Amino acid sequence: MPKVLSRRDFLARAAAGLVGCALASMGCGTQTQGGTGGGRTTLNLWYWNRSIDDNILEQVNKRFPKANLVPQKIGGDYRSKLLITFAGKSYVPDIAGINVDIATYFPDADQFVDLQSVGANEVKSDYLEWKWLQGITPEGKMIGFPMDIGPIALFYREDILRKAGVPTDPDQLYERIKTWEEYFELGEFLKSKLPQRVSLADEITQIFQHVMAQGADWYQDKSGHFIGDQAHVKRAWDLAVTAHRKGLLANSARYSTDWNASADTGRFITFHGAVWMKLILKDAAPDTTGLWRVCPAPGGAGNSGGSFLSITRYCKDPQLAFDIISWVQNPENQLKAYVEIDLYPSTPSIYNRPEMNHPEEFFGGQNTNPIFSESARQVKPFYLGTEYNIINPIYAKELTNVATQGKDPERAWEDALHEIQKRLQLRGAWK
């Protein structure tokens, strides 16, 4: 069996040049970062498409006369490319975007500037507390500045529920399905009222993910110990399995062509999703304009997605870089980014602004923002863990085996735990 490289092994080999070809293929600026010229300091920014409003970035060099910001959109495996630059100590951006899995960067916290040392705490009150805390390591170093978030709600087909005799006003529906158990009861009721091909929700892994997103704990504690075999994870697993056993799921994998067709034709009539699923739904199901609504999610508030901006240790002027990122992500600019490219703000002071509150044609004239903004305010602080990207797909794989191959759920659970332990041991991360 080939050896699985640990993160440290990978970085060491990258530094030795064994993955140097990847550096050459990135197309990322000059080797020496943070240079000066013409009285301006050049700061290279790495981000991915639609993670920052380009119109805002275009204003930076006018607003900051000492800066020459050079934004670079990085495609492909963004995280691996960033880690490779750290290993090689070249082509390192001064400023870098980081996704919701920011905790997976905590073992490399020494590669980043502590944003508290350049004034971050002065603007802390502008941001949701749980989002702010996400960017701080267990040791107290802040490596991520808040960008967007992904508050969760329940999307549902108003027309189909109405035909089944179910109250469709968002508040009235939520009163009926506040808990996951009540949500499943609704699904069983609908099975008796609707054609056999119509299901309550889309797929088993999404039930699991959204139950997990409603809690504070995931798969590791802040000391790195594995807690994915504990009651909070088993509860999410069991709820997902229950939905499957009751025949409430369409088994339509999210982000697939089958999911798009199922959403458009009404094969499933509800799903849990983050606010950014609005755009995906509109693209997937254009024939259902006016038929969908949104209400608070059964089980409580949660978050899925969102990003951060960091300053690397190689940045020549960290204070200037912070002044830029804190301006790019201030409340007014987050509002602009919401209007222009639908990035949901982490700055609650703007949630009641008219630009965020208006009737939405696709959702039958409903203003969905109060639902999502309340969810955003109620999210519990959570910690995904340094090995989230290794652990999470293993649960998803085994749940998919349950749903599509008929695998025994308890055997799948044990197999998931066994594989997680094996993978973490190979990486030197098992505790």
Side-chain angles (χ1 to χ4, degrees), residues 65-140:
K66 294 182 179 180
N68 176 34
L69 184 71
V70 181
Q72 301 173 52
K73 289 184 182 179
I74 305 298
D77 190 344
Y78 179 94
R79 183 177 182 277
S80 291
K81 291 177 180 179
L82 184 58
L83 290 177
I84 289 171
T85 68
F86 291 153
K89 298 181 181 179
S90 61
Y91 299 96
V92 184
D94 300 277
I95 303 168
I98 296 180
N99 220 320
V100 67
D101 60 352
I102 188 168
T104 66
Y105 290 84
F106 287 173
D108 300 293
D110 60 344
Q111 300 295 317
F112 299 95
V113 171
D114 185 349
L115 301 181
Q116 294 166 121
S117 70
V118 286
N121 287 332
E122 295 177 12
V123 295
K124 179 180 178 180
S125 62
D126 288 340
Y127 300 87
L128 291 162
E129 182 182 18
W130 65 264
K131 177 69 172 183
W132 188 269
L133 293 174
Q134 248 193 307
I136 300 176
T137 71
E139 295 73 31

Side-chain angles (χ1 to χ4, degrees), residues 316-388:
K316 186 167 185 178
D317 192 337
Q319 187 62 61
L320 177 59
F322 177 75
D323 292 344
I324 290 171
I325 68 172
S326 60
W327 178 78
V328 168
Q329 296 299 329
N330 70 24
E332 288 301 317
N333 280 333
Q334 286 209 10
L335 179 61
K336 291 176 183 176
Y338 175 78
V339 172
E340 293 298 323
I341 55 175
D342 288 283
L343 294 175
Y344 202 85
S346 56
T347 51
S349 64
I350 62 174
Y351 287 168
N352 293 327
R353 293 277 289 272
E355 296 95 326
M356 294 190 68
N357 294 275
H358 49 78
E360 300 170 53
E361 180 184 4
F362 188 85
F363 294 95
Q366 180 187 7
N367 171 19
T368 66
N369 182 59
I371 303 294
F372 288 108
S373 64
E374 187 59 26
S375 178
R377 291 186 178 98
Q378 292 183 11
V379 172
K380 300 180 181 73
F382 61 93
Y383 180 70
L384 292 180
T386 60
E387 303 299 318
Y388 169 82

Side-chain angles (χ1 to χ4, degrees), residues 101 104 209 218-220 384-393:
D101 60 352
T104 66
Q209 290 293 322
W218 280 72
Y219 309 133
Q220 292 174 288
L384 292 180
T386 60
E387 303 299 318
Y388 169 82
N389 291 331
I390 300 298
I391 298 171
N392 195 57

